[in-house]
Amino acid sequence: MDEITFKSDTVLSDVHLYTPNQRHLMVRLNGMGQPVFLSQFKLLWNQDSWTHSGAEDSGPRDVSAQETSPAGSESGHSHEDLSLQAGDDITIQERLNVPLDEDGDLDVVRRPRAASDPNPAEPARDKVHPMILAQEEDDLLGDEEQESSSHSIIKIEHTMATPLEDVGKQVWRGALFLADYILFRRDLFQGCTVLELGAGTGLASIVAATMAHTVYCTDVGTDLLAMCQRNVALNSHLAATGDGVIKVKELDWLKDDLCTDPKVPFSWSEEDISDLYDHTTVVFAAEVFYDDDLTDALFNTLSRLVHRLKNACTAILSVEKRFNFTLRHLDVTCEAYDHFRASLDSLEKLADGRLRFLVEPVEASFPQLLIYERIRQLIWDVIL
């Protein structure tokens, strides 16, 4: 990574944007040179801490799970500790060795512009690049904290800001919303074979594996699937509590058949395909309705899959209704969501004799077991 470039076409999830008090530990670079961070999401297993906060929830919460105080601060500090008296300014400046100019303003030392000066008076400074501080995974949490919270913390590796085609490498609010619903509907997942479409980092599949027998966690892209597989390994202790198995596989919505080439990473075996079609009873997806072509491809894939399944299937779809100002309409619209709703309506009207789709919206009044901001724009639909 010789140059650090910020582009205007990158997208940043709200989950990562609104976590000022949360430490995101950078652990490595992925195969595409993108920084990968490790975040922790806390499960509120204690029913006393459940929050029945639906769309009318009044206040935002920290969306990341592990709440930590800023370095060097304690919750018991008073406001006096943070206040500075005007008479102590000089003493404080001297103590901190703050460089000031002759007027008393902060003197900012600027690096020389070597590119614009062919004959600089001083040697140009070396370029500064981010460094990854190696840290053993066992040290990410303290020993006591590890022992007490091993079954209440989900560790997720993810990127931060990505181009639109790589948004699956981030954690999105709809995935946390979906995970909440999975925990709420344990009866629907207990001991079952389930399939997630567009799994991204795999957070929802990891939660489903705490009760399901087999979870097929699918997406496209070797780098994304490798990250997903690593997250599965980081949280294997959670799946072990319910004897669940997570199988990370490639499932391309733009292709009619599953990849069975053993030379291709994350391809399907004949046994896995038979198990998928013979036993799957739940299909779920979150935050995958942001592009009309991909939305059409997902609904085509869903229709194709349910025709091959031997059992009746429930599909659970989670989407955040996002508003955007468009020059085409000169107004605030939510075109991606409108297209999603139109696709749902078309699916409900589709009937070929053996299959019939029933679409039911779900109110967001179920308990909240993950810490994030549950907003009014989070919407559920269940297809029976």
Side-chain angles (χ1 to χ4, degrees):
M1 193 170 66
D2 295 329
E3 296 288 345
I4 304 172
T5 305
F6 294 92
K7 299 182 179 180
S8 60
D9 61 347
T10 55
V11 182
L12 178 61
S13 166
D14 289 345
V15 173
H16 310 312
L17 184 63
Y18 296 121
T19 54
N21 295 325
Q22 172 62 29
R23 178 192 65 172
H24 294 295
L25 177 66
M26 181 179 170
V27 291
R28 61 186 176 89
L29 297 178
N30 62 17
M32 301 181 66
Q34 298 167 328
V36 177
F37 300 85
L38 180 65
S39 294
Q40 301 167 1
F41 298 86
K42 188 174 183 180
L43 284 166
L44 305 176
W45 293 113
N46 185 358
Q47 293 190 9
D48 293 339
S49 60
W50 286 13
T51 306
H52 293 266
S53 57
E56 291 79 18
D57 197 0
S58 58
R61 300 177 181 79
D62 287 342
V63 291
S64 194
Q66 192 74 358
E67 293 184 318
T68 57
S69 300
S73 66
E74 298 292 340
S75 59
H77 282 187
S78 66
H79 293 290
E80 295 177 358
D81 296 332
L82 304 177
S83 63
L84 299 176
Q85 299 297 327
D88 297 335
D89 285 349
I90 298 177
T91 304
I92 294 173
Q93 290 167 3
E94 292 176 350
R95 186 186 309 162
L96 297 179
N97 196 23
V98 178
L100 302 177
D101 62 15
E102 57 185 9
D103 296 327
D105 299 323
L106 181 64
D107 189 9
V108 179
V109 180
R110 304 187 182 277
R111 69 184 286 176
R113 298 182 179 180
S116 60
D117 188 359
N119 299 308
E122 299 178 0
R125 293 175 57 188
D126 294 333
K127 291 184 178 180
V128 179
H129 302 295
M131 297 181 61
I132 302 175
L133 301 179
Q135 187 171 10
E136 297 295 333
E137 290 182 8
D138 293 340
D139 295 334
L140 295 180
L141 287 173
D143 293 338
E144 296 181 0
E145 200 174 351
Q146 263 190 345
E147 186 175 347
S148 63
S149 63
S150 59
H151 292 283
S152 62
I153 295 294
I154 301 176
K155 300 177 185 177
I156 295 293
E157 284 195 358
H158 60 88
T159 57
M160 296 288 275
T162 62
L164 189 62
E165 60 268 20
D166 285 334
V167 292
K169 296 177 182 178
Q170 300 187 54
V171 178
W172 295 89
R173 189 155 39 198
L176 297 168
F177 193 49
L178 174 59
D180 264 342
Y181 187 74
I182 292 172
L183 292 168
F184 173 64
R185 290 299 309 272
R186 290 177 171 273
D187 58 316
L188 189 62
F189 288 82
Q190 193 69 49
C192 296
T193 298
V194 301
L195 166 68
E196 182 175 12
L197 300 173
T201 60
L203 187 147
S205 287
I206 291 169
V207 171
T210 62
M211 60 204 78
H213 180 268
T214 305
V215 180
Y216 288 99
C217 177
T218 68
D219 215 310
V220 292
T222 302
D223 191 62
L224 173 59
L225 292 171
M227 175 186 287
C228 188
Q229 183 69 69
R230 185 170 174 84
N231 285 332
V232 170
L234 284 172
N235 298 279
S236 57
H237 59 286
L238 292 174
T241 59
D243 295 326
V245 176
I246 304 177
K247 298 183 178 182
V248 179
K249 300 292 181 181
E250 177 186 289
L251 199 159
D252 191 339
W253 305 342
L254 301 177
K255 297 179 181 179
D256 292 338
D257 298 314
L258 302 176
C259 179
T260 57
D261 186 351
K263 296 180 181 179
V264 177
F266 306 103
S267 60
W268 295 75
S269 67
E270 294 297 334
E271 293 78 9
D272 288 334
I273 294 177
S274 297
D275 180 54
L276 175 74
Y277 292 149
D278 292 347
H279 301 110
T280 298
T281 56
V282 180
V283 178
F284 54 96
E287 294 284 28
V288 294
F289 307 103
Y290 55 88
D291 177 89
D292 291 353
D293 292 335
L294 288 179
T295 297
D296 293 339
L298 181 137
F299 277 102
N300 290 335
T301 299
L302 184 61
S303 178
R304 186 168 59 249
L305 283 171
V306 297
H307 276 83
R308 298 174 181 176
L309 298 181
K310 292 186 177 180
N311 298 308
C313 179
T314 300
I316 306 169
L317 307 177
S318 168
V319 59
E320 181 174 337
K321 187 177 181 180
R322 291 184 172 87
F323 297 90
N324 297 286
F325 181 86
T326 62
L327 292 176
R328 184 156 59 96
H329 297 91
L330 292 179
D331 198 0
V332 176
T333 63
C334 41
E335 293 182 282
Y337 176 76
D338 292 341
H339 187 78
F340 163 73
R341 292 301 313 180
S343 300
L344 270 183
D345 294 340
S346 299
L347 186 68
E348 192 170 19
K349 295 174 183 177
L350 180 64
D352 59 0
R354 187 175 73 90
L355 286 177
R356 179 174 177 271
F357 296 94
L358 176 62
V359 179
E360 293 183 357
V362 178
E363 292 186 6
S365 57
F366 46 89
Q368 183 170 339
L369 297 181
L370 285 158
I371 303 176
Y372 62 98
E373 183 185 4
R374 187 178 285 189
I375 62 175
R376 190 179 310 154
Q377 287 75 30
L378 287 169
I379 297 171
W380 272 106
D381 281 288
V382 175
I383 304 173
L384 304 174

